[in-house]
Amino acid sequence: MQNARTPLESQGRANSRRPLRRVPNTSLKDQVGGVYYMRRDQVGFLQRMIETHGDIVRIRLLGIKMIMINNPDYFERVLVRNHENYDKTTFLFRAVEPILRGGLIGNVGGEPWRRQRRIMQPSFHQPKVAGFAENMTDETGQMLRRWDDRYQPGDVVNISTELGQLAMRIVFRSLFGAHVGSRGDSIEEMFLEANHIVGNFFRFPFPPLSWPIPPYRRLNAIIRTMDGYVSDVIDKRIGSDEVHHDLLTALMNAVDEETGTGMTPLQLHREVLNIIIGGYETTSNSVAWLVYLIGQHPEVQARLHAEVDDVLGGRVPAFDDLPKLKYTRMIIDETLRLYTPAWQTMRRSIEEDEMGGYHIPAKADLYLNMYTLHRHPDYWPDATRFDPERFSPEQIAQRPRHAYIPFASGPRNCIGKHFALTELTLILAMIAQAYRVEIPEESQDVEIEPLITMHPKGGIHARMERR
Ligand code: HEM
């Protein structure tokens, strides 16, 4: 009888002469001190690990072992080529489980995830997103008019707050066809608070989130409030005959083509929350970083102004203008490289695997950090410099595709990618049409605040001059 083949043998490894290498370990000092260093400077510590050990290294945090990878080929292996072998039963997703609860973002994987994605995917296809473009430009137009009334020439504005409100309004209006109104501000504050609590937990995962200490009790209260808000909207909608043209209606009517069944109200509730969570902070941080970077680079801003003036000639942009706003898109890509909002994720190997000659054991936790990947010196010369030219077609063609993955890659990539890129392009184009941005001297050096999403610490303060 033939012996059972190991997963690596069935991939042809059995014929390879090269023995697989063991993934290098960090030093004992970094294993013991990892949690302390992470708490002080999470990104700095992880970057140091990569610089010291190369593109793959074992790290350990409070006894939790992880393999950190930082190479486009390894990312491609995990997310695309052998994606079936990796799921989300990891520490990071267990940490956010009380918030995400089986919605698409934290769904472990396998058939339950595939079914959910099949049901939801059509609601995020380009033609549907095109239908939301008007929400985006209308809300942005309202924000700009408020700025005109509220600010005097030369005023320095904390634009993070303003742009947070804008992103919140856009996601709520697209989902529910409704204006968030005054509840929007408190929801936004709750988001920030929840982000701090969970972000701190990830940096120092003790005590467990189930312990009834004040920040975790607050987290539970926030979750209950958000649940209440979403339930109100869904309940009202279920009991109403009115016709709506929003994402919620699309999701309520969506069915899995393979089985002909749709979502239960509970699942719908979870997915709506996941869309708010996935779609709000990521875009609000991105626009804040966008304004910061164009404000710091007048030559980039001048080219942006020239493009929007040329393409739009003063009118409000529409979905069809997007392909013509090429330089605007290059600025967005470069911003999502430098300050990638969803900057870390994890996967767990189901069976053993191999990457670049290294052995990945079964049931290993893999840590994927897009912030360090997007600053990898082999693919991004002078990586900290802001340079939208990196996204010219010629330069893109010279890089491995997986050197740049702000929306992840493969079947579990971001379902809201088109939505986000449409939103970012329309907002940036409209701000550029109306304002010239300058970052005052005292606000030049904004630090990153790596929470669950990548925040600008203290917000972005900008001087907005009407053009
Ligand atoms: C700049 C904005 C955005 C960025 C950078 C971003 C990034 C990402 C990334 C990296 C993932 C994969 C996470 C992982 O594998 O662990 C993801 C997943 C997801 N995103 Fe986004 N996202 C953005 C905007 C949005 C928007 C606007 C929505 C909804 C309207 C959204 C909804 C989701 C959902 C539901 C998932 C889970 C998909 C699945 O697992 O099948 N995101 N996003």
Side-chain angles (χ1 to χ4, degrees):
M1 200 182 87
Q2 213 181 353
N3 284 340
R5 297 168 81 202
T6 69
L8 288 182
E9 283 169 338
S10 48
Q11 288 162 27
R13 268 300 316 176
N15 300 327
S16 165
R17 280 153 205 262
R18 210 160 37 106
L20 287 180
R21 283 169 289 172
R22 204 180 128 74
V23 175
N25 246 320
T26 52
S27 67
L28 194 61
K29 181 168 165 260
D30 285 329
Q31 285 176 41
V32 176
V35 162
Y36 168 73
Y37 300 128
M38 281 272 279
R39 205 169 188 190
R40 266 199 358 192
D41 176 10
Q42 182 174 0
V43 170
F45 170 68
L46 295 169
Q47 201 132 27
R48 183 161 65 77
M49 292 303 95
I50 290 294
E51 278 160 18
T52 313
H53 301 279
D55 285 352
I56 185 161
V57 57
R58 277 171 203 274
I59 54 177
R60 191 191 287 252
L61 301 168
L62 277 186
I64 301 165
K65 294 183 210 154
M66 304 181 208
I67 295 177
M68 178 177 179
I69 57 174
N70 196 48
N71 180 297
D73 289 345
Y74 304 168
F75 271 72
E76 188 174 7
R77 176 84 190 158
V78 175
L79 298 174
V80 186
R81 290 189 190 281
N82 200 18
H83 69 90
E84 295 279 3
N85 190 44
Y86 293 91
D87 67 23
K88 286 197 175 182
T89 51
T90 65
F91 161 65
L92 177 65
F93 289 101
R94 272 197 301 278
V96 288
E97 161 68 20
I99 305 174
L100 299 173
R101 285 166 294 165
L104 209 55
I105 303 177
N107 192 312
V108 164
E111 192 44 35
W113 166 79
R114 257 191 298 279
R115 177 179 183 276
Q116 264 317 105
R117 181 89 187 205
R118 275 198 307 266
I119 296 179
M120 291 173 63
Q121 186 69 62
S123 303
F124 289 89
H125 281 157
Q126 292 247 18
K128 291 269 190 219
V129 173
F132 299 128
E134 232 180 278
N135 291 343
M136 299 168 183
T137 51
D138 186 49
E139 289 292 346
T140 309
Q142 288 186 37
M143 177 189 77
L144 294 173
R145 282 192 291 281
R146 279 195 304 275
W147 288 6
D148 289 348
D149 295 342
R150 204 179 291 165
Y151 303 117
Q152 299 302 317
D155 278 359
V156 174
V157 181
N158 181 349
I159 47 116
S160 300
T161 316
E162 303 275 354
L163 297 171
Q165 281 169 3
L166 175 64
M168 175 71 78
R169 286 179 177 161
I170 289 175
V171 81
F172 271 72
R173 192 161 153 188
S174 307
L175 256 171
F176 306 135
H179 299 270
V180 250
S182 56
R183 274 178 107 168
D185 294 352
S186 60
I187 294 178
E188 213 191 311
E189 277 162 26
M190 286 190 296
F191 255 96
L192 194 61
E193 241 186 296
N195 210 320
H196 271 279
I197 298 167
V198 180
N200 282 335
F201 174 76
F202 188 67
R203 265 194 293 277
F204 189 78
F206 190 83
L209 284 174
S210 53
W211 284 27
I213 60 170
Y216 300 166
R217 283 213 301 268
R218 174 72 191 136
L219 182 65
N220 285 328
I222 291 174
I223 294 168
R224 279 196 303 275
T225 312
M226 306 250 263
D227 275 345
Y229 182 80
V230 172
S231 295
D232 277 0
V233 184
I234 294 181
D235 290 350
K236 270 195 206 119
R237 189 62 67 83
I238 289 173
S240 142
D241 297 331
E242 270 179 59
V243 181
H244 296 266
H245 300 282
D246 49 27
L247 201 46
L248 180 61
T249 309
L251 293 173
M252 283 170 80
N253 295 334
V255 287
D256 176 5
E257 285 191 351
E258 285 185 18
T259 61
T261 54
M263 280 186 250
T264 61
L266 181 64
Q267 192 61 29
L268 180 67
H269 179 124
R270 290 173 172 166
E271 297 302 357
V272 165
L273 266 177
N274 272 246
I275 290 169
I276 300 173
I277 292 167
Y280 157 59
E281 278 218 344
T282 45
T283 39
S284 96
N285 286 328
S286 309
V287 200
W289 288 117
L290 273 167
V291 171
Y292 175 64
L293 288 169
I294 59 165
Q296 280 192 323
H297 297 85
E299 67 299 346
V300 171
Q301 193 172 178
R303 247 183 101 179
L304 169 67
H305 286 162
E307 180 173 271
V308 296
D309 293 351
D310 180 42
V311 171
L312 304 171
R315 68 180 164 75
V316 175
F319 186 78
D320 292 344
D321 292 315
L322 297 187
K324 288 174 255 160
L325 294 167
K326 288 193 173 40
Y327 190 65
T328 314
R329 174 63 193 270
M330 284 160 70
I331 297 175
I332 291 168
D333 283 336
E334 175 66 343
T335 303
L336 295 181
R337 176 187 76 82
L338 271 176
Y339 298 109
T340 193
W343 60 284
Q344 60 178 357
T345 187
M346 287 186 73
R347 295 290 189 272
R348 189 176 166 86
S349 58
I350 296 168
E351 293 180 339
E352 60 180 337
D353 196 7
E354 128 167 57
M355 256 166 237
Y358 289 99
H359 178 242
I360 305 294
K363 299 190 175 58
D365 274 330
L366 265 69
Y367 177 72
L368 289 73
N369 186 315
M370 277 78 108
Y371 184 90
T372 51
L373 179 73
H374 290 171
R375 289 164 182 247
H376 195 305
D378 290 356
Y379 312 100
W380 307 102
D382 201 0
T384 54
R385 190 166 55 88
F386 174 68
D387 178 11
E389 284 305 318
R390 297 182 203 268
F391 289 90
S392 66
E394 301 73 36
Q395 290 205 31
I396 292 175
Q398 284 167 16
R399 276 190 305 267
R401 180 163 136 31
H402 284 80
Y404 177 67
I405 48 163
F407 296 99
S409 184
R412 284 207 84 160
N413 71 349
C414 175
I415 202 170
K417 177 180 172 181
H418 295 309
F419 188 104
L421 287 172
T422 303
E423 180 177 348
L424 295 180
T425 313
L426 295 173
I427 296 176
L428 182 60
M430 285 182 76
I431 291 179
Q433 276 181 310
Y435 279 91
R436 178 167 292 103
V437 184
E438 202 191 293
I439 305 296
E441 193 56 40
E442 63 281 9
S443 311
Q444 284 282 342
D445 294 320
V446 175
E447 283 177 40
I448 54 168
E449 188 171 32
L451 302 176
I452 293 301
T453 51
M454 187 60 82
H455 280 250
K457 199 170 188 171
I460 301 294
H461 295 79
R463 183 171 291 118
M464 311 291 290
E465 298 280 0
R466 197 91 177 95
R467 285 183 67 203

